[in-house]
PDB file of all heavy atoms in Angstrom:
ATOM      1  N   LEU Z 120     132.338  88.514  63.511  1.00 98.00           N
ATOM      2  CA  LEU Z 120     132.535  89.688  62.557  1.00 98.00           C
ATOM      3  C   LEU Z 120     133.930  90.226  62.680  1.00 98.00           C
ATOM      4  O   LEU Z 120     134.307  90.725  63.678  1.00 98.00           O
ATOM      5  CB  LEU Z 120     131.536  90.775  62.880  1.00 98.00           C
ATOM      6  CG  LEU Z 120     131.548  92.080  62.049  1.00 98.00           C
ATOM      7  CD1 LEU Z 120     131.031  91.764  60.612  1.00 98.00           C
ATOM      8  CD2 LEU Z 120     130.798  93.144  62.742  1.00 98.00           C
ATOM      9  N   PRO Z 121     134.759  90.100  61.605  1.00 98.00           N
ATOM     10  CA  PRO Z 121     136.139  90.607  61.654  1.00 98.00           C
ATOM     11  C   PRO Z 121     136.195  92.151  61.615  1.00 98.00           C
ATOM     12  O   PRO Z 121     135.318  92.829  61.029  1.00 98.00           O
ATOM     13  CB  PRO Z 121     136.810  90.003  60.462  1.00 98.00           C
ATOM     14  CG  PRO Z 121     135.829  89.204  59.792  1.00 98.00           C
ATOM     15  CD  PRO Z 121     134.424  89.536  60.283  1.00 98.00           C
ATOM     16  N   ILE Z 122     137.270  92.650  62.267  1.00 98.00           N
ATOM     17  CA  ILE Z 122     137.555  94.156  62.079  1.00 98.00           C
ATOM     18  C   ILE Z 122     138.365  94.287  60.827  1.00 98.00           C
ATOM     19  O   ILE Z 122     139.514  93.898  60.714  1.00 98.00           O
ATOM     20  CB  ILE Z 122     138.330  94.631  63.347  1.00 98.00           C
ATOM     21  CG1 ILE Z 122     137.621  94.324  64.648  1.00 98.00           C
ATOM     22  CG2 ILE Z 122     138.521  96.129  63.165  1.00 98.00           C
ATOM     23  CD1 ILE Z 122     138.407  94.580  65.924  1.00 98.00           C
ATOM     24  N   VAL Z 123     137.761  94.945  59.808  1.00 98.00           N
ATOM     25  CA  VAL Z 123     138.434  95.200  58.585  1.00 98.00           C
ATOM     26  C   VAL Z 123     139.063  96.636  58.736  1.00 98.00           C
ATOM     27  O   VAL Z 123     138.399  97.646  58.417  1.00 98.00           O
ATOM     28  CB  VAL Z 123     137.547  95.100  57.411  1.00 98.00           C
ATOM     29  CG1 VAL Z 123     138.287  95.405  56.156  1.00 98.00           C
ATOM     30  CG2 VAL Z 123     136.882  93.659  57.262  1.00 98.00           C
ATOM     31  N   GLN Z 124     140.300  96.700  59.281  1.00 98.00           N
ATOM     32  CA  GLN Z 124     140.879  97.979  59.521  1.00 98.00           C
ATOM     33  C   GLN Z 124     141.604  98.322  58.282  1.00 98.00           C
ATOM     34  O   GLN Z 124     142.883  98.424  58.264  1.00 98.00           O
ATOM     35  CB  GLN Z 124     141.871  97.827  60.772  1.00 98.00           C
ATOM     36  CG  GLN Z 124     142.311  99.140  61.346  1.00 98.00           C
ATOM     37  CD  GLN Z 124     141.158 100.012  61.985  1.00 98.00           C
ATOM     38  OE1 GLN Z 124     140.420  99.399  62.723  1.00 98.00           O
ATOM     39  NE2 GLN Z 124     141.047 101.206  61.726  1.00 98.00           N
ATOM     40  N   SER Z 125     140.878  98.710  57.227  1.00 97.00           N
ATOM     41  CA  SER Z 125     141.473  99.134  55.960  1.00 97.00           C
ATOM     42  C   SER Z 125     140.619 100.225  55.327  1.00 97.00           C
ATOM     43  O   SER Z 125     139.415 100.162  55.344  1.00 97.00           O
ATOM     44  CB  SER Z 125     141.514  97.917  55.021  1.00 97.00           C
ATOM     45  OG  SER Z 125     142.135  98.253  53.802  1.00 97.00           O
ATOM     46  N   THR Z 126     141.273 101.296  54.903  1.00 97.00           N
ATOM     47  CA  THR Z 126     140.565 102.370  54.268  1.00 97.00           C
ATOM     48  C   THR Z 126     140.184 102.105  52.821  1.00 97.00           C
ATOM     49  O   THR Z 126     139.225 102.588  52.274  1.00 97.00           O
ATOM     50  CB  THR Z 126     141.379 103.637  54.163  1.00 97.00           C
ATOM     51  OG1 THR Z 126     142.578 103.366  53.460  1.00 97.00           O
ATOM     52  CG2 THR Z 126     141.800 104.143  55.534  1.00 97.00           C
ATOM     53  N   THR Z 127     140.910 101.139  52.301  1.00 96.00           N
ATOM     54  CA  THR Z 127     140.716 100.915  50.785  1.00 96.00           C
ATOM     55  C   THR Z 127     140.702  99.451  50.471  1.00 96.00           C
ATOM     56  O   THR Z 127     140.927  98.597  51.224  1.00 96.00           O
ATOM     57  CB  THR Z 127     141.877 101.715  50.127  1.00 96.00           C
ATOM     58  OG1 THR Z 127     141.609 101.907  48.770  1.00 96.00           O
ATOM     59  CG2 THR Z 127     143.160 101.042  50.284  1.00 96.00           C
ATOM     60  N   TYR Z 128     140.354  99.165  49.150  1.00 95.00           N
ATOM     61  CA  TYR Z 128     140.114  97.846  48.740  1.00 95.00           C
ATOM     62  C   TYR Z 128     140.712  97.656  47.388  1.00 95.00           C
ATOM     63  O   TYR Z 128     140.722  98.547  46.583  1.00 95.00           O
ATOM     64  CB  TYR Z 128     138.559  97.612  48.614  1.00 95.00           C
ATOM     65  CG  TYR Z 128     137.906  97.936  50.001  1.00 95.00           C
ATOM     66  CD1 TYR Z 128     137.556  99.232  50.320  1.00 95.00           C
ATOM     67  CD2 TYR Z 128     137.654  96.975  50.999  1.00 95.00           C
ATOM     68  CE1 TYR Z 128     137.055  99.609  51.492  1.00 95.00           C
ATOM     69  CE2 TYR Z 128     137.163  97.322  52.264  1.00 95.00           C
ATOM     70  CZ  TYR Z 128     136.881  98.652  52.497  1.00 95.00           C
ATOM     71  OH  TYR Z 128     136.413  98.898  53.764  1.00 95.00           O
ATOM     72  N   TYR Z 149     135.936 102.544  49.339  1.00 94.00           N
ATOM     73  CA  TYR Z 149     136.636 103.423  50.222  1.00 94.00           C
ATOM     74  C   TYR Z 149     135.795 103.411  51.562  1.00 94.00           C
ATOM     75  O   TYR Z 149     134.587 103.508  51.482  1.00 94.00           O
ATOM     76  CB  TYR Z 149     136.696 104.750  49.589  1.00 94.00           C
ATOM     77  CG  TYR Z 149     137.637 105.753  50.300  1.00 94.00           C
ATOM     78  CD1 TYR Z 149     138.902 105.342  50.630  1.00 94.00           C
ATOM     79  CD2 TYR Z 149     137.267 107.038  50.689  1.00 94.00           C
ATOM     80  CE1 TYR Z 149     139.830 106.237  51.373  1.00 94.00           C
ATOM     81  CE2 TYR Z 149     138.056 107.878  51.360  1.00 94.00           C
ATOM     82  CZ  TYR Z 149     139.337 107.443  51.648  1.00 94.00           C
ATOM     83  OH  TYR Z 149     140.171 108.382  52.311  1.00 94.00           O
ATOM     84  N   THR Z 150     136.435 103.376  52.635  1.00 96.00           N
ATOM     85  CA  THR Z 150     135.829 103.166  53.913  1.00 96.00           C
ATOM     86  C   THR Z 150     134.940 104.409  54.336  1.00 96.00           C
ATOM     87  O   THR Z 150     134.057 104.240  55.089  1.00 96.00           O
ATOM     88  CB  THR Z 150     136.836 102.754  55.009  1.00 96.00           C
ATOM     89  OG1 THR Z 150     137.195 101.360  54.804  1.00 96.00           O
ATOM     90  CG2 THR Z 150     136.353 102.833  56.426  1.00 96.00           C
ATOM     91  N   ARG Z 151     135.136 105.577  53.720  1.00 96.00           N
ATOM     92  CA  ARG Z 151     134.244 106.661  54.021  1.00 96.00           C
ATOM     93  C   ARG Z 151     132.803 106.332  53.542  1.00 96.00           C
ATOM     94  O   ARG Z 151     131.861 106.858  54.067  1.00 96.00           O
ATOM     95  CB  ARG Z 151     134.709 107.940  53.335  1.00 96.00           C
ATOM     96  CG  ARG Z 151     133.751 109.099  53.424  1.00 96.00           C
ATOM     97  CD  ARG Z 151     134.313 110.501  53.537  1.00 96.00           C
ATOM     98  NE  ARG Z 151     135.434 110.727  52.647  1.00 96.00           N
ATOM     99  CZ  ARG Z 151     135.439 111.040  51.397  1.00 96.00           C
ATOM    100  NH1 ARG Z 151     134.266 111.058  50.762  1.00 96.00           N
ATOM    101  NH2 ARG Z 151     136.577 111.237  50.701  1.00 96.00           N
ATOM    102  N   ALA Z 153     131.728 102.864  52.779  1.00 96.00           N
ATOM    103  CA  ALA Z 153     131.258 101.617  53.415  1.00 96.00           C
ATOM    104  C   ALA Z 153     132.528 100.721  53.798  1.00 96.00           C
ATOM    105  O   ALA Z 153     133.544 100.819  53.191  1.00 96.00           O
ATOM    106  CB  ALA Z 153     130.399 100.812  52.315  1.00 96.00           C
ATOM    107  N   ASN Z 154     132.337  99.951  54.794  1.00 98.00           N
ATOM    108  CA  ASN Z 154     133.289  99.013  55.250  1.00 98.00           C
ATOM    109  C   ASN Z 154     132.648  97.794  55.724  1.00 98.00           C
ATOM    110  O   ASN Z 154     131.564  97.850  56.372  1.00 98.00           O
ATOM    111  CB  ASN Z 154     134.069  99.800  56.392  1.00 98.00           C
ATOM    112  CG  ASN Z 154     135.025  98.889  57.108  1.00 98.00           C
ATOM    113  OD1 ASN Z 154     134.683  98.038  57.908  1.00 98.00           O
ATOM    114  ND2 ASN Z 154     136.302  99.108  56.899  1.00 98.00           N
ATOM    115  N   PRO Z 155     133.217  96.590  55.554  1.00 97.00           N
ATOM    116  CA  PRO Z 155     132.521  95.297  55.883  1.00 97.00           C
ATOM    117  C   PRO Z 155     132.228  95.257  57.397  1.00 97.00           C
ATOM    118  O   PRO Z 155     131.215  94.604  57.722  1.00 97.00           O
ATOM    119  CB  PRO Z 155     133.620  94.236  55.457  1.00 97.00           C
ATOM    120  CG  PRO Z 155     134.426  94.945  54.444  1.00 97.00           C
ATOM    121  CD  PRO Z 155     134.483  96.323  54.780  1.00 97.00           C
ATOM    122  N   THR Z 156     133.031  95.821  58.262  1.00 98.00           N
ATOM    123  CA  THR Z 156     132.718  95.762  59.723  1.00 98.00           C
ATOM    124  C   THR Z 156     131.601  96.600  60.027  1.00 98.00           C
ATOM    125  O   THR Z 156     130.776  96.362  60.933  1.00 98.00           O
ATOM    126  CB  THR Z 156     133.950  96.158  60.529  1.00 98.00           C
ATOM    127  OG1 THR Z 156     135.097  95.481  59.975  1.00 98.00           O
ATOM    128  CG2 THR Z 156     133.718  95.702  61.987  1.00 98.00           C
ATOM    129  N   CYS Z 157     131.356  97.731  59.230  1.00 98.00           N
ATOM    130  CA  CYS Z 157     130.228  98.574  59.477  1.00 98.00           C
ATOM    131  C   CYS Z 157     128.958  97.924  58.910  1.00 98.00           C
ATOM    132  O   CYS Z 157     127.893  98.072  59.494  1.00 98.00           O
ATOM    133  CB  CYS Z 157     130.432  99.942  58.864  1.00 98.00           C
ATOM    134  SG  CYS Z 157     131.818 100.801  59.567  1.00 98.00           S
ATOM    135  N   MET Z 367     131.727 109.106  59.037  1.00 97.00           N
ATOM    136  CA  MET Z 367     131.600 107.665  59.005  1.00 97.00           C
ATOM    137  C   MET Z 367     132.042 107.084  60.299  1.00 97.00           C
ATOM    138  O   MET Z 367     132.882 107.629  60.980  1.00 97.00           O
ATOM    139  CB  MET Z 367     132.427 106.994  57.822  1.00 97.00           C
ATOM    140  CG  MET Z 367     132.185 105.615  57.544  1.00 97.00           C
ATOM    141  SD  MET Z 367     130.482 105.135  57.439  1.00 97.00           S
ATOM    142  CE  MET Z 367     130.417 103.621  56.703  1.00 97.00           C
ATOM    143  N   ALA Z 368     131.394 105.942  60.701  1.00 98.00           N
ATOM    144  CA  ALA Z 368     131.792 105.133  61.876  1.00 98.00           C
ATOM    145  C   ALA Z 368     133.093 104.484  61.505  1.00 98.00           C
ATOM    146  O   ALA Z 368     133.348 104.037  60.414  1.00 98.00           O
ATOM    147  CB  ALA Z 368     130.806 104.155  62.162  1.00 98.00           C
ATOM    148  N   SER Z 369     133.935 104.309  62.529  1.00 98.00           N
ATOM    149  CA  SER Z 369     135.096 103.687  62.333  1.00 98.00           C
ATOM    150  C   SER Z 369     134.869 102.103  62.470  1.00 98.00           C
ATOM    151  O   SER Z 369     133.959 101.714  63.126  1.00 98.00           O
ATOM    152  CB  SER Z 369     136.204 103.987  63.367  1.00 98.00           C
ATOM    153  OG  SER Z 369     135.840 103.475  64.665  1.00 98.00           O
ATOM    154  N   PRO Z 370     135.750 101.310  61.742  1.00 98.00           N
ATOM    155  CA  PRO Z 370     135.477  99.823  61.866  1.00 98.00           C
ATOM    156  C   PRO Z 370     135.565  99.323  63.293  1.00 98.00           C
ATOM    157  O   PRO Z 370     134.835  98.470  63.735  1.00 98.00           O
ATOM    158  CB  PRO Z 370     136.587  99.205  60.941  1.00 98.00           C
ATOM    159  CG  PRO Z 370     137.067 100.346  60.094  1.00 98.00           C
ATOM    160  CD  PRO Z 370     136.740 101.623  60.791  1.00 98.00           C
ATOM    161  N   MET Z 371     136.556  99.899  64.045  1.00 98.00           N
ATOM    162  CA  MET Z 371     136.634  99.426  65.495  1.00 98.00           C
ATOM    163  C   MET Z 371     135.379  99.771  66.238  1.00 98.00           C
ATOM    164  O   MET Z 371     134.909  98.887  67.010  1.00 98.00           O
ATOM    165  CB  MET Z 371     137.876 100.218  66.110  1.00 98.00           C
ATOM    166  CG  MET Z 371     138.269  99.690  67.447  1.00 98.00           C
ATOM    167  SD  MET Z 371     138.814  97.962  67.467  1.00 98.00           S
ATOM    168  CE  MET Z 371     138.381  97.506  69.115  1.00 98.00           C
ATOM    169  N   ASN Z 372     134.819 100.959  66.090  1.00 98.00           N
ATOM    170  CA  ASN Z 372     133.565 101.212  66.777  1.00 98.00           C
ATOM    171  C   ASN Z 372     132.423 100.439  66.356  1.00 98.00           C
ATOM    172  O   ASN Z 372     131.634  99.933  67.059  1.00 98.00           O
ATOM    173  CB  ASN Z 372     133.197 102.717  66.659  1.00 98.00           C
ATOM    174  CG  ASN Z 372     134.095 103.649  67.616  1.00 98.00           C
ATOM    175  OD1 ASN Z 372     134.911 103.139  68.287  1.00 98.00           O
ATOM    176  ND2 ASN Z 372     133.913 104.885  67.529  1.00 98.00           N
ATOM    177  N   ALA Z 373     132.436 100.066  65.007  1.00 98.00           N
ATOM    178  CA  ALA Z 373     131.353  99.219  64.537  1.00 98.00           C
ATOM    179  C   ALA Z 373     131.522  97.853  65.083  1.00 98.00           C
ATOM    180  O   ALA Z 373     130.457  97.165  65.455  1.00 98.00           O
ATOM    181  CB  ALA Z 373     131.369  99.152  63.012  1.00 98.00           C
ATOM    182  N   PHE Z 374     132.759  97.280  65.231  1.00 98.00           N
ATOM    183  CA  PHE Z 374     132.893  96.038  65.869  1.00 98.00           C
ATOM    184  C   PHE Z 374     132.400  95.987  67.365  1.00 98.00           C
ATOM    185  O   PHE Z 374     131.680  95.107  67.760  1.00 98.00           O
ATOM    186  CB  PHE Z 374     134.392  95.776  65.837  1.00 98.00           C
ATOM    187  CG  PHE Z 374     134.747  94.446  66.628  1.00 98.00           C
ATOM    188  CD1 PHE Z 374     134.583  93.275  66.038  1.00 98.00           C
ATOM    189  CD2 PHE Z 374     135.256  94.543  67.971  1.00 98.00           C
ATOM    190  CE1 PHE Z 374     134.907  92.097  66.745  1.00 98.00           C
ATOM    191  CE2 PHE Z 374     135.527  93.356  68.671  1.00 98.00           C
ATOM    192  CZ  PHE Z 374     135.384  92.086  68.105  1.00 98.00           C
ATOM    193  N   LEU Z 375     132.685  97.085  68.089  1.00 98.00           N
ATOM    194  CA  LEU Z 375     132.281  97.169  69.423  1.00 98.00           C
ATOM    195  C   LEU Z 375     130.734  97.346  69.539  1.00 98.00           C
ATOM    196  O   LEU Z 375     130.124  96.679  70.431  1.00 98.00           O
ATOM    197  CB  LEU Z 375     132.944  98.319  70.190  1.00 98.00           C
ATOM    198  CG  LEU Z 375     134.460  98.118  70.379  1.00 98.00           C
ATOM    199  CD1 LEU Z 375     135.076  99.535  70.816  1.00 98.00           C
ATOM    200  CD2 LEU Z 375     134.742  97.188  71.320  1.00 98.00           C
TER     201      LEU Z 375
END
Side-chain angles (χ1 to χ4, degrees):
L120 176 72
I122 304 171
V123 180
Q124 195 69 48
S125 180
T126 58
T127 194
Y128 305 84
Y149 192 50
T150 286
R151 169 146 45 76
N154 172 289
T156 314
C157 298
M367 191 46 163
S369 72
M371 186 67 204
N372 280 1
F374 173 82
L375 292 168

